[in-house]
Amino acid sequence: MPISQSPVLVTGATGFVAAELVKQLLAAGYRVRGTTRNVEKAVEQGELTSLPGASERLELVAADLNEPGAFTPHMTDVEYVLHTASPYILQVDDPQRDLVDPAVNGTMSVLHSAAETPSVKRIVLTSSFAAVSNGGRDEPYSEADWNEESSLTNGPYAYSKTMAERSAWDFMEEENRHFDLVVINPVGVIGPSVVNRVNQTHEFMIGMTNGQAPAIIDMSFPIVDVRDVAKAHILAMETPEAHGRYLTSAGAPPFRRYIDVMNDAGLDEHYELPKLGLDNPVGSLVVKGLMLTQPKGVREAVSPNLGAKFDLNTSKIENELGMDWMDIDTSIHDQAMDLHEKGYLGKQPD
Ligand code: NAP
């Protein structure tokens, strides 16, 4: 596809996923308009503004998901909207206010603004595997699956993503829209970060190095590299035939693989990596008991997934968009070294 001169609108541009997306869009020659709640802070931090191509082709603008109409002025001349902004936090005080409202109202706000803007051709929405399932099943998952189990009190983050994606599809069905919607459903995103900030998924690896996870447990977590997630969004934007949802996953390595990769990288010289193997049926019973003492968000992320083998059918994105995946060990290695170099590994939670 020839590079369009109209700006690509990326919401939540300072996020882990979005910052990589901005980097790849700029590298490909696109003009980018990125939204953040705090432009001054983003400029001061400088990670986006110092990216190659940023001085000529990146503009940062202010928008809050909770503010009706906030995205409308930023849609001017925009053909493609990559809507990634959404709160990604596992522990919140008020799940409705802190997760569901910004996720759903923000998505609706972006869609309404697009509906008022004739230049918009496509919205690529960053949903999540959390909108497909809340985990704990052995049969393969596909794009036909929906998370029917999460709620405000059981996995509210997953609920917020499910509600936001459902609202988006409902909106598209209401009447003939002049733009289409394509949805990316990534599993846990890992890898090195453009921004110097710890993402929720980084916390799992930090927990393996700070004593929070004293043993190797029987948990396989489906993951995908942030560089592949950004690539998937750009393919979804550039491929005219792209349609519907796309499961985005490179595989589900066991917990032990993280430890092996970190050991091989020499990180055991710096951190007390877990050695005790509880990745067996008896060990899982012990872990389930220990989880009762953990905060609710951690418990909900770990307990239902103990022993589960995630099997995701990713043939749709591979066949329709030509997606392929980075090697998982490389993703684990690059994330570990990035967090190590930035001084986050081994840190105790605030
Ligand atoms: P992140 O680093 O926490 O970034 C989230 C972004 O959302 C932030 O840059 C923030 O922008 C924006 N945001 C949050 N609340 C907002 C609000 N009220 N108004 C405007 N913007 C708001 O998270 P991420 O991991 O990159 O996640 C990006 C997207 O991928 C989310 O939709 C998330 O659900 C989805 N996802 C993530 C993963 C993962 O493992 N990381 C997996 C599947 C799906 P400012 O603070 O700059 O305003």
Side-chain angles (χ1 to χ4, degrees), residues 236-279:
M237 175 182 95
E238 290 179 338
T239 309
E241 302 77 23
H243 65 105
R245 316 170 87 192
Y246 289 100
L247 278 183
T248 304
S249 171
F255 187 121
R256 188 174 280 280
R257 187 112 157 245
Y258 290 81
I259 306 304
D260 289 347
V261 172
M262 286 197 277
N263 275 324
D264 289 349
L267 291 173
D268 53 334
E269 287 173 21
H270 302 271
Y271 311 102
E272 197 62 38
L273 300 179
K275 292 189 179 70
L276 175 66
L278 292 180
D279 45 350

Side-chain angles (χ1 to χ4, degrees), residues 188-207:
V189 183
I190 74 161
S193 178
V194 170
V195 287
N196 190 355
R197 206 160 15 108
V198 171
N199 184 263
Q200 190 69 59
T201 41
H202 295 141
E203 302 281 2
F204 288 104
M205 185 176 272
I206 294 170

Side-chain angles (χ1 to χ4, degrees), residues 12 14-17 36-37 64-65 84 127 157 161 189 199 201:
T14 67
F16 174 44
V17 169
T36 169
R37 281 167 294 181
D64 194 315
L65 296 170
T84 79
S127 182
Y157 165 71
K161 295 303 289 179
V189 183
N199 184 263
T201 41

Side-chain angles (χ1 to χ4, degrees), residues 59-309:
E59 88 190 92
L60 291 173
V61 294
D64 194 315
L65 296 170
N66 292 314
E67 207 179 291
F71 294 90
T72 306
H74 308 318
M75 295 267 174
T76 308
D77 296 333
V78 165
E79 292 178 358
Y80 298 103
V81 180
L82 307 182
H83 177 42
T84 79
S86 202
Y88 178 34
I89 323 162
L90 295 183
Q91 291 177 59
V92 292
D93 294 331
D94 181 339
Q96 182 71 42
R97 183 198 62 198
D98 301 336
L99 288 170
V100 179
D101 286 349
V104 175
N105 299 343
T107 298
M108 293 314 289
S109 171
V110 167
L111 288 164
H112 279 290
S113 297
E116 290 168 23
T117 312
S119 60
V120 174
K121 292 181 177 163
R122 173 169 292 172
I123 306 231
V124 179
L125 168 69
T126 318
S127 182
S128 174
F129 178 60
V132 173
S133 164
N134 72 340
R137 172 179 118 182
D138 285 341
E139 304 92 72
Y141 291 99
S142 77
E143 284 82 2
D145 290 305
W146 277 92
N147 181 347
E148 310 277 0
E149 282 158 34
S150 294
S151 67
L152 271 182
T153 51
N154 173 28
Y157 165 71
Y159 182 63
S160 76
K161 295 303 289 179
T162 309
M163 296 305 285
E165 193 193 329
R166 278 203 188 278
S167 311
W169 287 120
D170 288 349
F171 179 87
M172 295 305 292
E173 273 182 12
E174 273 166 32
E175 55 186 87
N176 278 339
R177 302 288 173 194
H178 66 269
F179 57 91
D180 61 13
L181 174 70
V182 180
V183 172
I184 299 294
N185 296 86
V187 292
V189 183
I190 74 161
S193 178
V194 170
V195 287
N196 190 355
R197 206 160 15 108
V198 171
N199 184 263
Q200 190 69 59
T201 41
H202 295 141
E203 302 281 2
F204 288 104
M205 185 176 272
I206 294 170
M208 294 175 193
T209 61
N210 66 4
Q212 262 190 329
I216 299 168
I217 61 175
D218 186 11
M219 193 161 142
S220 302
F221 193 56
I223 55 169
V224 61
D225 195 285
V226 67
R227 292 162 286 191
D228 279 347
V229 176
K231 182 173 147 187
H233 281 75
I234 296 172
L235 286 171
M237 175 182 95
E238 290 179 338
T239 309
E241 302 77 23
H243 65 105
R245 316 170 87 192
Y246 289 100
L247 278 183
T248 304
S249 171
F255 187 121
R256 188 174 280 280
R257 187 112 157 245
Y258 290 81
I259 306 304
D260 289 347
V261 172
M262 286 197 277
N263 275 324
D264 289 349
L267 291 173
D268 53 334
E269 287 173 21
H270 302 271
Y271 311 102
E272 197 62 38
L273 300 179
K275 292 189 179 70
L276 175 66
L278 292 180
D279 45 350
N280 52 57
V282 175
S284 290
L285 283 176
V286 174
V287 176
K288 272 189 184 151
L290 291 174
M291 275 301 131
L292 298 174
T293 63
Q294 292 296 310
K296 193 163 178 269
V298 177
R299 203 166 59 235
E300 283 174 351
V302 174
S303 293
N305 298 319
L306 273 175
K309 303 281 172 269

